[in-house]
Amino acid sequence: MKQYSGSFFILLALFIFSHQNTSAQYDHGNRLEAGYDYSGIGHSVHLLYQHSLKRFLISGGMRVHLNKHSPAVGGPPYEYTMRPNNFRQNFGPVLSIDYLIPAENWFAKPFLGYHAQLGFMGRRYVGRNDISAGTWTSYEVESPLYNWQNHLVVGSYFPFTKSIDLKIYGGLGMGALFNIDPRLNPFKRTEQEYGYQLGISLSYRLPKR
């Protein structure tokens, strides 16, 4: 994913600045958001309810984990990959707070935000010799790992139709890992890691009552 992150931000910047002088005003309102994102937990899709409070957009909802491998850069071909051990571990809560940046004459609505999500599941590790054998080592099977991701993001809402916006965002942050498998280190059951988040979604404005 890292090789795509630079292109993501370049395309985002070009799209925003190319529409900088286009006049378009719209009421953000309360919304439903459905989309895809990648973070330290892994790949996921999410469904959120978004409440508009002046320029603040407060969202809460649920993520659904997608079981995809994340190739590592250097070292073993694959990193530790979050992997649900049962059905309910596919789901986790999501919270975000976005602030719409004042930009009266922009086609897009740029924002700064704080995004958090929690995954609780096991992990599996696929080493170099496991590729041809189709095997892996499982961790946090008996008791799940808790992976709490926190990111500061920048992005923008782009009007797609009268009631639907395209939302694109990315940012950097830190994850906190709790309840690490004691086989990895019996004396250190918590850990912090730096990471990033990339996401894209569709935001639907709910009809006003």
Side-chain angles (χ1 to χ4, degrees):
M1 290 292 296
K2 290 185 178 180
Q3 63 266 38
Y4 300 114
S5 60
S7 300
F8 175 90
F9 288 112
I10 292 174
L11 290 174
L12 176 60
L14 288 175
F15 196 102
I16 292 175
F17 286 109
S18 67
H19 296 85
Q20 187 171 1
N21 296 320
T22 305
S23 178
Q25 300 293 329
Y26 66 99
D27 178 20
H28 202 84
N30 295 333
R31 292 173 171 261
L32 289 179
E33 178 182 314
Y36 160 87
D37 78 271
Y38 173 82
S39 71
I41 300 175
H43 303 263
S44 70
V45 293
H46 60 260
L47 180 64
L48 307 176
Y49 172 76
Q50 186 178 84
H51 177 68
S52 178
L53 186 63
K54 294 185 178 180
R55 290 195 174 274
F56 289 94
L57 309 175
I58 304 171
S59 304
M62 193 70 64
R63 68 184 301 276
V64 181
H65 192 73
L66 302 176
N67 289 321
K68 290 187 176 183
H69 289 302
S70 302
V73 178
Y78 290 94
E79 301 172 318
Y80 292 98
T81 304
M82 299 290 287
R83 190 81 176 182
N85 294 315
N86 54 53
F87 178 74
R88 68 182 181 86
Q89 290 183 4
N90 284 282
F91 305 94
V94 177
L95 172 68
S96 67
I97 301 175
D98 297 334
Y99 173 75
L100 292 175
I101 300 172
E104 298 299 332
N105 295 318
W106 283 32
F107 171 77
K109 289 287 186 180
F111 68 87
L112 297 174
Y114 163 74
H115 289 190
Q117 53 183 299
L118 176 66
F120 51 98
M121 61 191 78
R123 291 183 294 176
R124 73 179 189 180
Y125 179 80
V126 181
R128 189 175 299 277
N129 296 328
D130 294 320
I131 299 298
S132 58
T135 59
W136 60 82
T137 303
S138 297
Y139 294 98
E140 289 94 26
V141 176
E142 299 297 329
S143 182
L145 173 83
Y146 291 84
N147 190 334
W148 179 30
Q149 293 286 314
N150 301 270
H151 298 93
L152 297 178
V153 304
V154 59
S156 192
Y157 291 88
F158 303 101
F160 190 67
T161 68
K162 187 176 181 180
S163 58
I164 298 177
D165 292 341
L166 174 66
K167 178 182 178 182
I168 302 177
Y169 57 93
L172 302 174
M174 179 177 291
L177 308 182
F178 303 94
N179 200 37
I180 295 175
D181 197 311
R183 290 179 296 167
L184 295 171
N185 188 338
F187 305 104
K188 187 179 181 182
R189 304 293 304 280
T190 62
E191 188 174 289
Q192 293 180 340
E193 62 179 16
Y194 294 98
Y196 63 93
Q197 182 184 33
L198 300 175
I200 184 170
S201 60
L202 290 177
S203 177
Y204 170 71
R205 185 177 62 194
L206 298 171
K208 291 184 178 180
R209 295 180 178 180

